[in-house]
Amino acid sequence: MKKEKVSNAVIRRLPRYYRTLYLLEQEGYERISSSALGSSMGITASQIRQDLSCFGEFGKQGYGYEIAGLLREIADILGMNNHYSAIILGAGNLGRALIRNFSFSSNGFTLRAAFDVDPALIGSTIGEVPVFALEALPDYMAANSIQVGVLTVPRNVAQPMAEKLIDGGVKGIWNFTNTELNVRGSGVTVESVHFADSLLALGYLISDNQKNTEPQNA
């Protein structure tokens, strides 16, 4: 039985569990103990048991976890079996990179279309994804059930583009615009990706590690 409230930290670890278990399955492993799984991920066995207990009982004492079964359970928890449909607003450099290089399908999403204002892009196809004029967005969303909008537009138009997605009925926005979106009262969930935040965090960790490894003056 899932707990009523699962912490954000646990949610953030779930994709790591899935990724690690997937690689283990690809290598031919069929089951794994919480201690072995923890060692491969750099976290404790008790943390793994505590995290997974938020969603039910998956392992057996003295046996561990059956990898294929746990993969299916985590995929279900993460919504990978819901077959969400997505569209992307902004087919510039970042948008095209996502379309060409990121596997939406392997993560349970289907990228249906992209929208842009550049006449040179409108009517083209990136990979297998058609690019439509932004003006066609309302009609497209009215005719298609779209749950997720991916925003890769300039930050100065991020908020109005988010509002277009909300008006079209999306349930979630994957936000790459490096600005915070105001979606209060809409019931829409936003997941913001800030590349700079991740890089700055890396800089801090490097600096902190250097301080801790420098020889201390006598």
Side-chain angles (χ1 to χ4, degrees):
M1 182 67 69
K2 178 182 174 181
K3 293 182 180 179
E4 290 187 7
K5 183 66 175 178
V6 179
S7 74
N8 187 62
V10 173
I11 295 168
R12 297 293 169 183
R13 281 192 290 270
L14 283 177
R16 287 189 61 205
Y17 291 141
Y18 184 87
R19 185 168 63 250
T20 303
L21 290 164
Y22 177 81
L23 291 174
L24 288 168
E25 185 182 50
Q26 294 301 299
E27 293 171 6
Y29 292 92
E30 295 183 356
R31 64 186 177 94
I32 190 170
S33 67
S34 55
S35 58
L37 181 58
S39 295
S40 67
M41 296 178 63
I43 58 179
T44 65
S46 61
Q47 183 68 71
I48 290 174
R49 291 192 292 269
Q50 182 178 332
D51 287 352
L52 295 180
S53 71
C54 294
F55 305 95
E57 298 296 332
F58 304 117
K60 296 179 181 178
Q61 189 171 3
Y63 179 85
Y65 300 104
E66 193 263 316
I67 290 176
L70 186 55
L71 267 174
R72 289 192 297 271
E73 294 286 355
I74 295 177
D76 188 57
I77 293 167
L78 290 172
M80 296 174 70
N81 301 319
N82 292 336
H83 308 294
Y84 293 126
S85 290
I87 57 173
I88 188 165
L89 268 58
N93 291 335
L94 179 55
R96 291 196 298 273
L98 282 173
I99 294 169
R100 288 173 174 154
N101 301 307
F102 181 76
S103 179
F104 284 84
S105 60
S106 66
N107 290 279
F109 294 79
T110 301
L111 186 58
R112 301 288 185 186
F115 294 82
D116 206 279
V117 296
D118 186 350
L121 293 172
I122 296 167
S124 67
T125 300
I126 303 171
E128 298 180 354
V129 177
V131 182
F132 299 108
L134 182 63
E135 290 79 5
L137 179 64
D139 288 342
Y140 183 92
M141 296 191 73
N144 298 273
S145 178
I146 303 297
Q147 292 80 40
V148 175
V150 184
L151 274 184
T152 57
V153 296
R155 61 183 303 171
N156 62 306
V157 296
Q159 185 62 41
M161 293 301 100
E163 291 169 4
K164 286 180 180 293
L165 290 171
I166 293 169
D167 290 343
V170 300
K171 304 302 180 185
I173 297 174
W174 202 16
N175 174 31
F176 287 85
T177 66
N178 203 35
T179 189
E180 301 301 324
L181 301 174
N182 181 4
V183 298
R184 288 192 296 271
S186 67
V188 171
T189 300
V190 175
E191 174 68 17
S192 293
V193 179
H194 295 284
F195 294 119
D197 289 6
S198 182
L199 186 60
L200 291 170
L202 175 62
Y204 166 80
L205 293 170
I206 293 171
S207 177
D208 187 58
N209 184 57
Q210 288 176 332
K211 290 176 183 177
N212 291 332
T213 56
E214 286 175 356
Q216 299 296 314
N217 293 328

